[in-house]
Amino acid sequence: MASSEPQSPLPSYKFPAGFRFRPTGIEILKYYLLNKVSGQALPYDGGFEEMDIYRHDPDQLPVDISDGHSRWAYFFVSTATPDEDGYDNVRSTPHGLWKLQRPDRPVQDDDDDDDRVIGYKRSFVFYSTKAHCRSARTGWRMNEYRLSRKFDRSKDDSQISACEIYILMEDRASNHDYKACSDRSKSQVERRMLLPVDSAQA
């Protein structure tokens, strides 16, 4: 008797030990983002999550760094359609900012005889404002990919971009200890309260 359950149009992939989902920029644009905006099936269903990443700080996103090694997480994000000449240079989160590090770089389709620009890549660094600290640069990084106007087939006023988020593990210890940052801020205030007035104003 045939099963009545719907069959997935794509096979279920299980990566061998040591393999990771890590597409290149052109692969993200050509096979994932372009398929997404065109309503086509993705080559691999488990690679991208669709969510508003800017409602969360990066340490709240599903990026597994529990074993102390860098991991990359991929998201489809709906944003307002940018002007042709620019795009927002800052992305705000509840306790920080993604600030532009490197502006748009064109990504060309090498399989195209005309080397057409299929999209653009820009890079951000996350600055934390948690625990009353000054804006502190962290090890979190993000590459944002968007299709060029010629390839973007969005039907409304929003644009879907693909975001690749990861952390530089060597920076993690020095700039991700938010509790220590809070403790330092508190102790500095307490010390100033105990100083004589003339010393406190120095």
Side-chain angles (χ1 to χ4, degrees):
M1 181 177 179
S3 173
S4 59
E5 295 182 1
Q7 299 297 313
S8 172
L10 294 173
S12 176
Y13 290 97
K14 184 176 181 180
F15 294 111
F19 283 75
R20 299 285 184 269
F21 179 73
R22 183 84 191 281
T24 63
I26 185 63
E27 290 168 343
I28 289 173
L29 287 163
K30 188 173 181 178
Y31 300 109
Y32 288 92
L33 187 53
L34 184 57
N35 282 21
K36 174 67 176 176
V37 301
S38 303
Q40 304 297 316
L42 304 181
Y44 169 57
D45 268 340
F48 283 80
E49 292 194 39
E50 190 167 357
M51 64 183 295
D52 184 356
I53 60 174
Y54 304 118
R55 296 184 64 181
H56 309 274
D57 295 327
D59 57 352
Q60 298 173 328
L61 295 172
V63 184
D64 182 13
I65 55 174
S66 58
D67 59 358
H69 295 286
S70 295
R71 291 289 183 272
W72 289 263
Y74 299 87
F75 304 92
F76 289 127
V77 182
S78 180
T79 59
T81 303
D83 295 329
E84 187 70 39
D85 297 331
Y87 213 46
D88 292 339
N89 293 335
V90 175
R91 307 279 192 272
S92 299
T93 73
H95 301 100
L97 300 167
W98 286 104
K99 294 184 180 180
L100 184 67
Q101 181 186 34
R102 296 185 64 191
D104 283 339
R105 287 96 73 199
V107 180
Q108 294 180 321
D109 185 356
D110 294 334
D111 294 332
D112 191 300
D113 293 337
D114 298 327
D115 287 334
R116 289 181 298 179
V117 173
I118 189 173
Y120 298 90
K121 172 185 177 181
R122 53 176 27 207
S123 301
F124 292 81
V125 176
F126 185 72
Y127 286 76
S128 171
T129 56
K130 277 189 177 181
H132 308 294
C133 289
R134 293 180 180 178
S135 181
R137 181 186 176 108
T138 73
W140 288 101
R141 302 290 187 269
M142 176 173 70
N143 294 319
E144 180 185 78
Y145 297 87
R146 76 180 194 277
L147 294 167
S148 64
R149 289 284 181 96
K150 185 172 184 177
F151 289 91
D152 188 2
R153 300 168 188 172
S154 302
K155 297 180 179 179
D156 52 26
D157 291 335
S158 65
Q159 181 183 63
I160 297 177
S161 61
C163 294
E164 173 186 54
I165 294 178
Y166 61 99
I167 185 173
L168 300 178
M169 299 305 295
E170 60 268 24
D171 291 345
R172 185 186 178 201
S174 63
N175 53 32
H176 270 62
D177 193 347
Y178 301 131
K179 183 179 184 300
C181 182
S182 178
D183 291 344
R184 286 196 303 272
S185 299
K186 182 179 178 181
S187 63
Q188 287 169 0
V189 171
E190 290 174 344
R191 284 199 302 271
R192 290 184 65 84
M193 291 176 65
L194 294 173
L195 289 172
V197 174
D198 292 343
S199 300
Q201 293 176 346

